[in-house]
Amino acid sequence: MTVTETMAAAGERADLCSPRPPVHPRPDGQDHYTISEVVALTGLTAHTLRWYERIGLMPHVDRSHTGQRRYRNRDLDWLDLVGKLRLTGMPVSDMVRYAELVRAGEGTFAERRDLLETTRRDVLARIAELQDTLAVLDHKISIYADTGRMPERVTGT
């Protein structure tokens, strides 16, 4: 059974590669969040949010008249994407480069696509490795399920 089949059997989304719309809370149409609210909504730390801003990963964050950061829904969408890129294993330097390209505008579409396609290939390779690993685990589990114990002729595996 593959990862996709396992997920489908468990009632989860089976199409791992289809895009999904950004999901973030928008309580009562709210579009301004303090750093502590973003921490609560995203699970990131305030330190991480400030670091993202400092290294250029987080686009310009609005400030209130007193200098407090005021995040918007577009910022939450961006943080969702950054979280997905982190899960791919994309190096931070590549994420920062991608952010720079986004800020540079439409003339960078080809370079952005290349960066994302490279990451996609890496993710697909990792998925294939995990599917092979899952097949080995499923095989081992079926041996235990069928016999209730490991056959004596097979040891150490």
Side-chain angles (χ1 to χ4, degrees), residues 1-9 13-14 16 127 130-132 134-135 138:
M1 183 177 273
T2 67
V3 171
T4 303
E5 291 167 341
T6 303
M7 291 178 65
R13 278 176 20 124
L16 299 175
I127 288 171
L130 288 171
Q131 286 175 327
D132 289 345
L134 182 61
D138 287 344

Side-chain angles (χ1 to χ4, degrees), residues 21-69:
V23 177
H24 54 69
R26 293 187 181 188
D28 300 323
Q30 182 176 339
D31 193 27
H32 291 284
Y33 307 89
T34 64
I35 196 166
S36 60
E37 289 172 323
V38 173
V39 165
L41 294 170
T42 65
L44 297 170
T45 65
H47 175 78
T48 297
L49 292 168
R50 290 185 198 105
W51 181 65
Y52 281 178
E53 193 174 349
R54 192 170 49 254
I55 66 171
L57 184 55
M58 189 69 200
H60 171 73
V61 176
D62 295 334
R63 301 279 181 143
S64 71
H65 67 284
T66 60
Q68 290 182 317
R69 289 171 177 84

